[in-house]
Amino acid sequence: MASPPPKTTKKHHARLNNPFPRAVPTAAIRDGDAAPRLSFATTSNSKLAHAHDFPVGARFRLRWDPSRGGEVSLSRVSPPPAPGDGDGAVARRAMWETVPGVAFLSAASAATEADECRGSFALRDGRARLVPDRQHVDKIRAFYRCDAAEAGPGGADLLRAAAFEPSDATRFPVLVMTGLVSAKKAGGASPSCTCCGLRAAGRRARSAAAVGRPVLSARYWIVLEEKSDTQVAFSVKIGDYQWTCTHADPAKPTPATTTTAPRLHRPSLRLRLSGRVQRGTSKKTTRLAPTTPSRDEEEASAALLPAAERPEEFNRVFLTYASSRDERFFGFGEQFSRVEFKGKRVPVLVQEQGIGRGDQPITFAANLVSYRSGGNWSTTYAPSPFYMTSKMRSLYLEGYDYSIFDLTRPDRVQIQIYGNSVQGRILDGDSPTELLTSYTASTGRPPVLPRWITSGAVVGMQGGTDTVRRVWDQLKDYDVPVSAFWLQDWVGQRKTKIGSQLWWNWELDDAHYSGWKDLVADLRSHGIRTMTYCNPCLVPMDEKPNTKRHLFEEAKKLGILVRDEAGEPYMMPNTAFDVAMLDFTNPEAHAWFKSVVLRGIVDHGVSGWMADFGEGLPLDARLHSGEHPVAAHNRYPELWARVNREFADEWKARRRRAAETAAEVDDDGDGLVFFVRSGFRESSRWAMLFWEGDQMVSWQANDGIKSSVVGLLSGGLSGFPLNHSDAGGYCTVDLPPFLRYRRSEELLLRWMEVNAFTVVFRTHEGNRPGSNCQFYSSARTLAHFARCAKMYRAWEFYRARLVGEAARTGLPVARHLFLHYPADERVQALTYQQFLVGTEMLVVPVLDKGRTAVTAYFPAGGGAWRHVWSGDEYGAGVHGGVEAQVEARIGYPAVFVRSGSPVGERFVSNLRDLKVL
């Protein structure tokens, strides 16, 4: 049964709000409750009574060990040695293992509540109804292909119960683990049930002294399947619910340390479908016997709790497994405050990143005037339920349910999933690059970008035709290599309380850009493309006088907008006006957006666009697909990227067919490009390019130039290999004398130096252009922009190679050093201080105001590094890393190339040719 949408409180119009909201809402079900003890069958003929290895496909092995209360571990099996060299294959280090004696699967029920305000969301537990009671393991069995056709409860029936459908591609054997999970009423004082109270519906009464606790029990099935040479898929299904009573006999107490099946009430209480669990009096046993409870017994068991407190199924699942105190966790998508997450509870929910994200005083002010709009260390446009660790362990969740990864305990990981089933994969690899390559092989990688987008600077401009031509003339004077002009205000501008914004009706405003066709043609004749902007939202256009086509009204009439509870278009406050979102779970919305909006864009001579937003689907929306809105909320960024990608691919295919018909040579560099900010696990399958959204125009750590580097590197560790930020930042706040966040000249110059070493070098004027220093503000800024654009041009040859590598392997262009030096503890602690470009270049940016030198760290085993500007060599440490102070005046960022590298030699030579060195 699908759970209803969460109870959602709208905070859009609250005038004063808590300026210090909790970053990650407190869990109603505490860690200790969510990981109860483990029990298991101990009959003499059970494989669980002794340690046993179970194969998972040909390359992996699950080991069961009952000696410490029960534990399982999954390992890759090393290839068997050559004949005569010893015994057979042996298991390597554990890829995944449980905590001895602790339930690795548990379930619960709690109310779900949500707060929402202009793209910021907080999902939390309401009152807990049921907390985990225990997990019992009945059986572990490896199924071979011949077993899949075996009739009976231990063969094909068990696979069907686990919802596993084998195919010709299935890599047998497949492992199935089954047993029972149960949960008790929250709050400690559970309403007791007596034998007479329960059986009064049809049997004689018993003594009221025999008191048990009502629990909701259910059978679970865990399936492990080898999916590739480096991946094991896991799935958890829970079903066959039954209210039961745990009855403790005072005369025969069960020792707390005994690992046996749950002591249930008399045999008359049975599990629906899955069978009956009995405990004998002479020895500890677990027997399954199919039976069906009578109507009286069902009604009696259902009466154990008041109707309002009686969940019909679990809506929380917990996976708990082992970690170690020194294990470091990387990933979780594009994160802006942290790269490593041990000790944190990490929520995986798509949303606005916020304004300030903990930097003060801006976060205080933003939260005060707009609920949670300041964000916090965990808020991000593009999270992902994926990590890899310093112990070379890696796991990710499939599906789109909200989840929280709890890494606060030194000895364990606990994942809380807001749902009643789980799917995911456990990855094997000996290095971070192997793990990331394995991960992106299944979640998707971006295509190779057309060369035009990476050949020079993408100039972000607004203001109309005359303004663009005037700045273009200035760029010619300074010999700036330009690949495109990105004109986001092609639809016209509107003035709002947050600054200059766009009319969200995706058609050309030919009054604002008079002579558009000539402008585009003139740019193209000089090898410069034109790019624009769109997003998945539409607004009524009653206030704009020169509107030609009312896209909102068209979409409303077609019924392709996201709907509210009343079935009307869901109008959502967004910054200073209300918007409606297209429902891309509806195939008609896909087709309409491609044929009307995107076709209209390219028909105006456009080669690319920013595909903005995608993170704001309401958590109580009604969708064409009927899917749960919380899961759809996390999936929506992928749907948004997909509709853009489909159009780009279809356009390219049409161009290629036309070229073949005309016997022309198709230019592979002549493709469309779009870039997105919202994302989830599989966004790279569809998105061509990411950008990091709206950083503050500041030096601060959580939302500014530093966070742009953190987002770049954390995203790269999470399968988003092609990413960049707005040079100079975006979010400007100019409220004198209280709050003034304006882009300074120094900040802009330093940000240009960072972005000259990312995959795309693009500027943005910000939301208040008049309050910010721009690249065209002075002769100094223009000269510096030209210098950085030439630095960017100088490694174009290497960039093309890295873009191709990203498409083949998923490895990012800009890389955290952990990818190549994972054992170095100093590297593990790095955040924004430095990064690699591929393997051959090292960048140590200046990210603090007034600094003219940096501290560079050269890991052991990396060889010597040559400073580009001075030619000095650093590093070459064998037994430890080397640290050095390096000068980094404006215009001379601390950039190093690997000594003796052909890439480095060519880069330096290009700098000389471009008169930068």
Side-chain angles (χ1 to χ4, degrees):
M1 182 183 66
S3 58
K7 178 184 177 183
T8 303
T9 303
K10 306 293 185 180
K11 301 278 191 174
H12 305 305
H13 304 296
R15 295 186 178 277
L16 290 178
N17 301 276
N18 177 11
F20 301 109
R22 186 182 294 272
V24 184
T26 303
I29 301 164
R30 297 185 299 274
D31 176 66
D33 293 329
R37 303 302 296 174
L38 180 69
S39 62
F40 53 91
T42 57
T43 56
S44 58
N45 62 348
S46 171
K47 290 184 177 180
L48 304 184
H50 309 284
H52 195 84
D53 289 338
F54 299 87
V56 180
R59 294 170 177 79
F60 302 95
R61 177 183 298 171
L62 184 85
R63 180 167 182 79
W64 164 263
D65 187 348
S67 62
R68 296 191 293 170
E71 59 183 307
V72 294
S73 62
L74 179 69
S75 304
R76 182 183 174 90
V77 178
S78 297
D85 288 349
D87 296 331
V90 296
R92 303 193 306 178
R93 58 172 175 76
M95 300 159 53
W96 181 87
E97 57 190 327
T98 65
V99 181
V102 174
F104 48 89
L105 173 67
S106 51
S109 177
T112 304
E113 299 175 354
D115 294 332
E116 180 181 330
C117 180
R118 303 176 191 275
S120 296
F121 301 89
L123 259 175
R124 62 178 180 276
D125 294 336
R127 184 177 57 83
R129 295 185 289 252
L130 293 170
V131 298
D133 181 57
R134 68 177 70 198
Q135 178 192 3
H136 179 75
V137 183
D138 286 341
K139 178 186 293 187
I140 303 176
R141 179 178 173 181
F143 282 84
Y144 293 82
R145 189 172 294 277
C146 60
D147 299 324
E150 176 187 323
D157 290 352
L158 182 57
L159 287 177
R160 281 193 292 270
F164 180 78
E165 295 290 339
S167 69
D168 292 342
T170 300
R171 298 187 176 195
F172 287 96
V174 173
L175 192 81
V176 179
M177 191 181 316
T178 186
L180 301 172
V181 288
S182 60
K184 60 189 176 183
K185 188 177 185 297
S190 300
S192 62
C193 75
T194 65
C195 299
C196 62
L198 180 62
R199 297 170 64 89
R203 310 278 171 88
R204 64 183 182 82
R206 291 185 176 269
S207 167
V211 178
R213 291 180 295 106
V215 298
L216 183 62
S217 297
R219 180 154 294 278
Y220 68 83
W221 297 267
I222 299 175
V223 178
L224 297 179
E225 177 192 5
E226 178 185 304
K227 296 297 287 188
S228 73
D229 293 354
T230 59
Q231 296 190 4
V232 173
F234 65 89
S235 65
V236 177
K237 178 191 172 186
I238 297 177
D240 297 351
Y241 293 85
Q242 174 69 60
W243 282 100
T244 58
C245 171
T246 57
H247 173 67
D249 187 343
K252 298 178 180 179
T254 302
T257 58
T258 302
T259 55
T260 65
R263 184 182 181 94
L264 299 182
H265 187 63
R266 298 295 182 181
S268 59
L269 278 180
R270 296 144 179 150
L271 283 174
R272 298 175 186 166
L273 302 179
S274 59
R276 176 177 62 187
V277 178
Q278 297 179 334
R279 182 180 176 204
T281 55
S282 59
K283 58 184 179 180
K284 301 156 188 167
T285 64
T286 299
R287 296 199 304 274
L288 296 177
T291 185
T292 303
S294 70
R295 180 180 298 275
D296 285 347
E297 289 167 341
E298 286 187 0
E299 292 175 354
S301 62
L304 294 173
L305 288 176
E309 301 179 5
R310 208 181 305 137
E312 295 186 15
E313 62 180 28
F314 299 129
N315 65 0
R316 300 287 189 278
V317 176
F318 299 85
L319 300 179
T320 305
Y321 49 95
S323 178
S324 60
R325 186 178 297 275
D326 62 344
E327 189 169 21
R328 300 291 173 255
F329 287 75
F330 303 85
F332 298 109
E334 182 186 62
Q335 299 285 335
F336 294 103
S337 292
R338 302 181 66 89
V339 173
E340 196 280 309
F341 293 89
K342 185 73 169 183
K344 291 291 186 178
R345 293 177 68 235
V346 186
V348 182
L349 184 69
V350 173
Q351 62 179 307
E352 286 269 6
Q353 70 147 13
I355 303 172
R357 306 184 68 261
D359 293 334
Q360 299 300 351
I362 184 60
T363 306
F364 176 96
N367 283 334
L368 185 67
V369 300
S370 183
Y371 181 75
R372 296 185 73 91
S373 66
N376 57 67
W377 67 266
S378 70
T379 49
T380 172
Y381 308 104
S384 182
F386 159 80
Y387 68 77
M388 56 182 165
T389 81
S390 57
K391 303 293 184 182
M392 298 307 112
R393 300 180 184 183
S394 183
L395 176 148
Y396 73 89
L397 298 182
E398 297 175 302
Y400 298 91
D401 288 332
Y402 176 53
S403 59
I404 300 175
F405 287 70
D406 190 338
L407 310 177
T408 57
R409 297 278 292 272
D411 69 333
R412 67 190 63 181
V413 175
Q414 184 170 90
I415 310 175
Q416 177 180 353
I417 298 96
Y418 278 52
N420 60 6
S421 64
V422 189
Q423 300 81 39
R425 298 196 184 186
I426 300 167
L427 310 183
D428 175 65
D430 291 327
S431 68
T433 55
E434 288 186 8
L435 291 172
L436 190 55
T437 299
S438 173
Y439 171 62
T440 58
S442 55
T443 59
R445 297 164 183 155
V448 174
L449 293 173
R451 287 291 291 267
W452 66 261
I453 187 70
T454 59
S455 64
V458 177
V459 179
M461 284 291 303
Q462 299 180 83
T465 306
D466 293 342
T467 302
V468 172
R469 287 191 178 276
R470 174 177 52 81
V471 172
W472 183 22
D473 287 341
Q474 292 178 300
L475 296 176
K476 292 176 188 176
D477 292 340
Y478 283 84
D479 193 27
V480 179
V482 175
S483 66
F485 269 82
W486 171 57
L487 310 176
Q488 68 166 2
D489 65 338
W490 71 292
V491 293
Q493 291 181 326
R494 64 194 299 184
K495 299 298 181 182
T496 70
K497 63 184 180 182
I498 74 164
S500 178
Q501 293 186 272
L502 308 180
W503 287 106
W504 290 10
N505 189 63
W506 314 119
E507 63 176 11
L508 176 66
D509 187 327
D510 45 22
H512 191 52
Y513 276 96
S514 60
W516 170 273
K517 185 177 179 180
D518 291 339
L519 173 65
V520 171
D522 289 347
L523 290 170
R524 187 63 178 267
S525 68
H526 287 76
I528 299 173
R529 306 300 182 104
T530 303
M531 304 182 73
T532 56
Y533 172 99
C534 69
N535 67 52
C537 302
L538 300 169
V539 299
M541 297 301 293
D542 302 334
E543 300 177 12
K544 190 171 188 286
N546 63 335
T547 301
K548 295 184 287 292
R549 190 167 182 176
H550 291 259
L551 298 181
F552 170 83
E553 296 298 336
E554 288 185 31
K556 179 180 178 181
K557 185 175 181 179
L558 291 170
I560 58 175
L561 297 173
V562 172
R563 293 171 289 113
D564 60 19
E565 190 174 7
E568 296 297 319
Y570 202 131
M571 301 304 296
M572 297 160 284
N574 186 293
T575 60
F577 45 86
D578 291 350
V579 305
M581 291 183 74
L582 286 160
D583 183 356
F584 287 122
T585 72
N586 186 341
E588 292 184 14
H590 265 259
W592 181 85
F593 191 80
K594 289 190 292 184
S595 64
V596 173
V597 175
L598 296 180
R599 182 59 184 269
I601 289 175
V602 299
D603 282 350
H604 285 298
V606 170
S607 297
W609 58 93
M610 172 188 280
D612 202 359
F613 288 94
E615 64 279 339
L617 183 71
L619 301 180
D620 56 353
R622 301 306 193 264
L623 300 166
H624 173 82
S625 64
E627 63 192 279
H628 196 283
V630 173
H633 173 89
N634 278 341
R635 189 165 81 97
Y636 194 93
E638 293 180 8
L639 295 174
W640 172 227
R642 181 173 182 172
V643 68
N644 286 274
R645 175 66 179 281
E646 285 178 355
F647 178 84
D649 288 350
E650 291 163 5
W651 182 90
K652 186 172 184 179
R654 286 194 300 269
R655 289 283 298 239
R656 182 162 293 167
R657 288 194 299 269
E660 291 171 355
T661 301
E664 297 175 354
V665 177
D666 182 51
D667 182 3
D668 288 336
D670 192 29
L672 301 176
V673 176
F674 68 93
F675 51 103
V676 301
R677 76 176 186 183
S678 64
F680 203 67
R681 176 191 59 247
E682 296 184 19
S683 285
S684 285
R685 184 185 304 279
W686 307 109
M688 301 183 76
L689 174 68
F690 277 84
W691 106 98
E692 299 179 62
D694 301 342
Q695 274 72 54
M696 294 286 298
V697 291
S698 83
W699 299 95
Q700 293 181 289
N702 294 295
D703 191 6
I705 189 171
K706 296 182 182 69
S707 70
S708 76
V709 179
V710 174
L712 180 72
L713 303 183
S714 63
L717 290 171
S718 302
F720 304 148
L722 304 179
N723 203 351
H724 71 293
S725 68
D726 299 328
Y730 169 82
C731 192
T732 310
V733 179
D734 196 3
L735 299 173
F738 304 105
L739 285 173
R740 306 203 79 176
Y741 286 81
R742 301 181 298 172
R743 183 193 296 160
S744 68
E745 180 183 85
E746 183 184 2
L747 177 69
L748 175 62
L749 302 187
R750 289 304 194 183
W751 212 314
M752 287 180 189
E753 293 174 357
V754 174
N755 284 16
F757 295 94
T758 61
V759 67
V760 169
F761 180 41
R762 182 181 55 82
T763 67
H764 198 312
E765 293 182 316
N767 62 308
R768 292 184 178 272
S771 298
N772 291 327
C773 180
Q774 307 292 351
F775 70 85
Y776 51 78
S777 292
S778 67
R780 186 186 188 203
T781 56
L782 277 164
H784 189 80
F785 181 46
R787 182 176 177 83
C788 289
K790 290 173 182 177
M791 289 183 207
Y792 176 76
R793 171 67 70 85
W795 64 283
E796 181 186 3
F797 71 98
Y798 188 42
R799 187 160 55 250
R801 186 192 308 178
L802 295 176
V803 167
E805 186 177 7
R808 292 190 310 273
T809 68
L811 296 180
V813 172
R815 303 177 184 179
H816 193 283
L817 274 70
F818 174 73
L819 279 175
H820 297 288
Y821 306 96
D824 191 316
E825 293 185 0
R826 173 75 178 272
V827 164
Q828 294 173 12
L830 292 173
T831 52
Y832 49 75
Q833 293 84 359
Q834 59 190 69
F835 59 91
L836 292 167
V837 177
T839 58
E840 306 303 292
M841 299 168 66
L842 176 67
V843 180
V844 188
V846 173
L847 303 175
D848 289 297
K849 183 179 180 180
R851 291 281 301 275
T852 58
V854 294
T855 301
Y857 177 72
F858 305 94
W865 292 87
R866 177 185 173 191
H867 186 233
V868 166
W869 311 114
S870 68
D872 295 340
E873 290 197 353
Y874 298 86
V878 177
H879 303 293
V882 176
E883 185 178 282
Q885 289 290 115
V886 181
E887 185 181 38
R889 294 176 290 118
I890 287 177
Y892 297 87
V895 180
F896 305 84
V897 294
R898 195 177 296 279
S899 183
S901 163
V903 169
E905 295 299 327
R906 185 173 174 184
F907 173 58
V908 171
S909 175
N910 288 346
L911 289 175
R912 291 195 185 98
D913 292 343
L914 291 165
K915 297 181 172 51
V916 177
L917 182 61

